[in-house]
């Protein structure tokens, strides 16, 4: 008996050493230590509000798919997926996260759209020392001033969006810009980042108008955009606000003389606008279901369950969950420090990214895609919405590590 | 180019016109609320949800039954009206004698249930409803490019609003209604079926919301949240106009739409707040609202 325990302990020690050595080593632990005798993955997002179609119940399904693909068990112990609605309110999200960590033994939180909530959860996860993989929020603060040793910002951020769409459009001749901006932290950040890219690429910003979140009518704002005579109208808003801006821009004939640039658009937005209205728009995407055979297979599997194709956020939730589970397996424990160590050394190869990796500041770096929405006559089958214009290589897509203001980087 | 308050006169006129469009929606919705409050003493928080249901009826009709815009404009308000009658008969009628708060809570709950149901079925991003072919294109007014559909919204909502005002204030039926509000017992004693009138009034108020919903469908995305985005402003309109005042709600609705539109030019960030600032000022000076009577 004693011998068995000794063997077990040695194996575990070896396994841990192995992972700390090099990721190339295939020394995956068959046994390991789990807090609460299980792995608990928690999906937190907006379940019924403006962002519910981007993540919502679909993200929970994506996390469950990842658990199923992993095999459903970790070291012979169960893996459980729980979820909650943060209602886009930082206080609601933060108190739920505390309850999850303190009472329910949650090991990792994933998704969390809405930048303000995302930052609140980062603070709680840091305090409780648990892994936090954000796929849903846009703010680049998560890997800058608000970075923590436990945050992984997985799918995208305002820098990548601005850099993708902004730069590409200026290069194709869209020199003068006017912004239609949602009047809160996210909108301002997206506008500022994009304006900086536009100016750096030789473009000119003619002005901006700020509209309240969930405005009921956009025609007045668009009339101002029209009067600016800018070539490009940058929509620094999201969800229902973007949808209604695009709709009104079509109705008022802006799209005949000016081009709309959706700075943050999800496939669910394009789906609900319809191609007739959305055609021609440029956008930056982190993942598209119709890219290759592997993504199509994943898309169809998801479609069978949710009756819609996955957004890039939902695909990222799948990938982040799977990556986390693999890291726990390799670390031989769900201890956050050990798992983070593995995460920051591992190349991610799955349906979401090939060769993606997590940087010291927590940013997961991967290729991004510049897309253009197809004309209705070019769309051959349901959800055939995007034309790939350009692959933005990982190194160009995200903010260079040297520019990150993450305090963790300075210590070294 | 000539200027007004530092902005070009063209932009000023354009915003005035758009304010009129939004004001038409406010007027139509607040009119329904005012009719219901005036006759039933119910603060109908389900009004935004009924507006949303009206828009969805139009979309469902088009998508599944191939019913065009014009059919929807007649059928959807009818359906919503019948739904309103059902609500009144099965739930609201038990609350008239109680405090306002109960009606408010019930209708608020109903609104949440309706929104939740539609979110569950259709998702939050909503569904597109194209502008009917008759109204594609725009009028060139010289100072702006006014889509034909928006012009139609102004015309049709003004017609509906003033027809309602005329029926209630100038006809015999309206006289019965007003009498039933003032003194239900006495009116009943004259042989007028008061419960029936009350039921139809709620149905009519609901139908007005449904009508506004169909009018809005081509202009904004048909989404389960479209009602809750609008309803708070509409309540402010009713309060400013004077709770229960028919003419007050129409005029205030249009006026506030215009003021809000102009705010969007001068200081866009305040456009969602300006209505409430006006509400606070009006309540300080005239607690019963601009057109309300002190009781």
């Amino acid at each position: 008996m004693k011998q068995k325990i000794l063997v077990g302990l040695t194996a575990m020690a070896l396994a841990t050493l192995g992972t700390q050595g090099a990721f190339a080593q295939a020394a995956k632990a068959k046994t390991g230590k789990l807090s609460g005798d299980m792995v608990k993955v928690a999906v937190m997002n907006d379940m019924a509000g403006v962002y519910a179609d981007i993540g919502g119940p679909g993200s929970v399904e994506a996390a469950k798919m990842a658990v199923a693909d992993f095999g459903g068990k970790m070291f012979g112990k169960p893996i459980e997926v729980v979820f909650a609605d943060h209602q886009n309110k930082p206080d609601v999200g933060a108190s739920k996260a505390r309850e999850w960590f303190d009472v329910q033994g949650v090991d990792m939180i994933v998704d969390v759209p809405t930048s303000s909530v995302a930052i609140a959860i980062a603070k709680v996860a840091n305090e409780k020392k648990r892994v936090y993989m954000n796929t849903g929020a846009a703010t680049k603060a998560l890997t800058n001033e608000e970075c923590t040793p436990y945050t992984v910002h997985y799918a995208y951020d305002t820098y990548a969006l601005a850099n993708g769409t902004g730069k590409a459009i200026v290069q194709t001749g869209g020199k003068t810009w006017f912004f239609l901006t949602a009047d809160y932290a996210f909108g301002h950040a997206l506008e500022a980042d994009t304006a900086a890219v536009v100016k750096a690429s030789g473009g000119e910003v003619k002005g901006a108008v700020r509209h309240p979140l969930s405005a009921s009518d956009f025609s007045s704002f668009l009339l101002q955009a029209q009067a600016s005579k800018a070539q490009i109208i940058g929509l620094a808003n999201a969800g229902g606000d973007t949808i209604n801006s695009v709709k009104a821009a079509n109705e008022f004939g802006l799209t005949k003389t000016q081009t709309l640039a959706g700075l943050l658009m999800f496939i669910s937005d394009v789906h609900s606008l319809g191609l007739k209205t959305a055609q021609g728009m440029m956008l930056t995407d982190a993942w598209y279901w119709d890219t290759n055979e592997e993504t199509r297979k994943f898309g169809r599997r998801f479609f069978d369950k949710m009756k819609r194709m996955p957004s890039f956020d939902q695909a990222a939730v799948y990938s982040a969950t799977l990556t986390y589970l693999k890291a726990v397996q390799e670390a031989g424990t769900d201890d956050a420090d050990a798992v983070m160590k593995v995460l920051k050394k591992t190349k991610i190869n799955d349906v979401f990214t090939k060769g993606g990796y997590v940087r010291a500041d927590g940013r997961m770096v991967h290729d991004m895609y510049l897309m253009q929405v197809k004309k209705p006559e070019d769309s051959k089958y349901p959800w055939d919405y995007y034309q790939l214009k350009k692959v933005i290589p990982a190194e160009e897509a995200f903010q260079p590590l040297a520019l990150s203001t993450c305090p963790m980087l300075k210590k070294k | 180019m000539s200027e007004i308050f530092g902005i070009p006169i063209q932009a000023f006129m354009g915003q005035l016109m758009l304010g009129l469009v939004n004001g038409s929606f406010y007027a139509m919705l607040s009119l329904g609320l005012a009719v219901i409050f005036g006759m039933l003493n119910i603060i109908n928080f389900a009004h935004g949800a009924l507006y949303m249901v009206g828009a969805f009826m139009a979309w469902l009709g088009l998508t599944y039954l191939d019913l065009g815009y014009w059919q929807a404009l007649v059928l959807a308000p009818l359906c919503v009206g019948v739904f309103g009658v059902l609500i009144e008969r099965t739930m609201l009628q038990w609350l008239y004698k109680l405090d306002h708060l109960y009606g408010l809570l019930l209708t608020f709950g109903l609104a949440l249930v309706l929104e939740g149901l539609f979110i569950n079925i259709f998702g939050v991003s909503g569904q597109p409803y194209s502008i009917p072919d008759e109204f594609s294109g725009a009028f060139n007014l010289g100072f702006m490019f006014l889509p034909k559909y928006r012009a139609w919204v102004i015309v049709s909502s003004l017609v509906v609003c003033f027809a309602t005002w005329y029926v209630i204030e100038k006809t015999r039926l309206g006289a019965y209604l007003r009498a039933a509000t003032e003194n239900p017992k006495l009116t009943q004693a004259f042989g007028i079926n008061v419960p029936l009138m009350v039921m139809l009034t709620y149905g009519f108020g609901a139908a007005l919301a449904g009508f506004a919903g169909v009018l809005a469908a081509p202009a904004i995305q048909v989404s389960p949240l479209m009602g809750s985005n609008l309803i708070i402003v509409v309540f402010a309109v009713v309060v400013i106009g004077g709770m229960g005042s028919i003419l007050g709600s129409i005029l205030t609705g249009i006026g506030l739409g215009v003021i809000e539109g102009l705010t969007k030019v001068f200081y866009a960030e305040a456009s969602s707040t300006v209505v409430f600032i006006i509400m606070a000022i009006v309540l300080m000076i005239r607690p019963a609202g601009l057109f309300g009577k002190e009781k």
Side-chain angles (χ1 to χ4, degrees), chain A residues 19 23 28 39 41 62-71 74-75 79 107-110 131-135 152-155 294 298 314-336 338-359 362-366:
Chain A
T19 54
F23 59 81
K28 281 190 181 163
V39 178
V41 173
K64 285 182 179 159
M65 283 166 74
V67 172
D69 288 358
F70 184 74
M74 178 76 72
F75 315 134
I79 304 169
D107 296 298
M108 186 272 274
I109 293 183
V110 68
V131 179
Y132 170 44
M133 302 183 88
N134 187 300
T135 59
V152 176
H153 200 189
Y154 206 83
E294 194 183 0
F298 176 77
Q314 288 155 342
V317 167
Y318 169 87
S319 169
T321 309
L322 195 60
T323 304
Y324 171 78
L325 293 175
K326 284 178 185 163
V328 171
Q329 188 177 45
E330 198 163 327
T333 169
D334 57 3
D335 174 71
V339 174
M340 284 307 297
K341 218 168 240 172
V342 177
L343 277 176
K344 289 193 175 171
K345 281 177 183 159
T346 315
K347 288 265 183 203
I348 302 164
N349 280 303
D350 60 13
V351 68
F352 184 76
T353 171
K354 294 277 172 270
Y357 60 95
V358 181
R359 263 183 351 199
R363 174 73 257 162
M364 202 279 266
V365 179
H366 58 93

Side-chain angles (χ1 to χ4, degrees), chain B:
Chain B
M1 202 190 300
S2 50
E3 290 192 346
I4 284 185
F5 306 126
I7 63 163
I9 194 152
Q10 283 195 331
F12 187 83
M13 295 294 288
Q15 298 295 346
L16 215 59
M17 208 66 210
L18 291 176
L20 214 54
V21 177
N22 286 333
S24 309
F25 278 114
Y26 292 159
M28 217 161 12
L29 285 170
S30 61
L31 175 67
L33 278 179
V35 169
I36 292 171
F37 182 77
M39 306 289 157
L40 281 74
N41 257 343
I42 292 275
I43 301 169
N44 186 29
F45 251 89
H47 216 67
L50 292 170
Y51 159 80
M52 176 270 289
V53 172
F56 262 101
M57 289 271 176
W59 179 81
L60 287 169
L62 184 72
T63 315
Y64 294 107
L65 305 172
D66 216 15
L67 293 175
Y69 176 77
W70 297 105
Q71 283 111 314
L73 207 55
V74 178
L75 290 177
L78 268 180
C79 292
V80 178
V82 170
F83 183 59
V85 166
L86 277 177
I87 295 174
E88 199 276 339
R89 278 296 89 181
T90 53
M91 291 177 256
L92 279 178
Q93 65 155 326
W94 315 105
L95 300 177
Y96 297 142
K97 294 197 180 96
L98 300 174
D99 191 78
H100 289 325
L101 203 58
Y102 292 91
L104 188 152
L105 283 176
L106 177 80
T107 49
F108 186 55
L110 271 175
L112 291 181
V113 169
L114 283 174
E115 267 177 17
L117 267 178
F118 277 81
I119 286 176
N120 236 328
I121 304 171
F122 300 106
V124 287
S125 312
Q127 309 291 342
Y129 191 99
S130 328
I131 290 177
D133 291 339
E134 297 90 317
F135 294 116
S136 57
F139 295 117
N140 192 348
L141 301 183
F143 54 87
M144 77 175 292
F145 176 88
L146 180 70
K148 284 184 186 161
Y149 189 77
R150 302 264 165 167
W152 158 247
V153 166
I154 301 180
V155 173
S156 58
S157 74
L158 284 182
V159 168
V160 167
C161 284
F162 283 97
T164 308
W165 171 80
Y166 185 83
V167 168
I168 291 177
E169 300 289 341
K170 303 286 172 197
T171 64
R172 181 166 280 267
L173 178 70
Y176 289 160
L177 272 175
R178 281 177 288 132
T181 321
E182 283 295 315
N183 195 333
K185 274 193 185 145
L186 198 61
T187 316
Q188 188 126 30
F190 282 122
I192 292 164
N193 189 344
V194 173
L196 179 74
M197 299 201 83
V198 167
M199 180 185 89
L200 291 178
T201 306
Y202 190 80
F204 175 72
L208 268 181
F211 183 79
V214 182
L215 271 187
I220 62 174
Q221 187 80 354
V222 179
S223 122
L225 297 175
M226 64 193 282
S228 50
N229 288 347
L230 204 62
I231 195 68
I232 301 297
V233 176
V234 173
F235 267 103
V237 170
V238 177
V239 171
I240 296 169
M243 293 293 285
S245 161
I246 308 290
L247 195 62
S249 64
I250 298 174
L251 295 180
T252 322
I254 295 171
L256 284 178
V258 170
I259 292 176
E260 196 191 58
L262 294 181
T263 315
K264 286 174 182 167
V265 197
F266 292 114
Y267 189 65
E269 285 87 338
S271 61
S272 57
T273 326
V274 65
V275 171
F276 301 100
I277 297 172
I278 294 175
M279 180 172 92
I281 296 170
V282 167
L283 287 183
M284 274 193 282
I285 301 166
R286 283 184 66 98
L290 290 176
F291 297 82
K293 291 185 200 108
E294 306 259 4
K295 280 189 182 166

Side-chain angles (χ1 to χ4, degrees), chain A residues 48-50 52-53 183 209-210 212 214 216-217 219-221 223-224 243-244 247 251-253 256 268 272-274 276, chain B residues 14-15 18 22 119 123-126 128-129 131 145 147 149-150 217-218 220-221 225 229-230 264-265 268-269 271-272:
Chain A
V50 282
D53 284 350
D183 192 19
V209 60
R210 311 258 160 77
S214 300
S216 54
D217 177 67
S219 42
S220 303
F221 306 117
L223 224 58
Q224 296 177 50
I243 291 174
N244 277 323
K247 236 183 126 127
E251 195 187 344
F252 281 80
K256 286 183 190 127
S268 49
S272 58
L273 272 170
K276 197 179 147 203
Chain B
Q15 298 295 346
L18 291 176
N22 286 333
I119 286 176
V124 287
S125 312
Y129 191 99
I131 290 177
F145 176 88
Y149 189 77
R150 302 264 165 167
I220 62 174
Q221 187 80 354
L225 297 175
N229 288 347
L230 204 62
K264 286 174 182 167
V265 197
E269 285 87 338
S271 61
S272 57

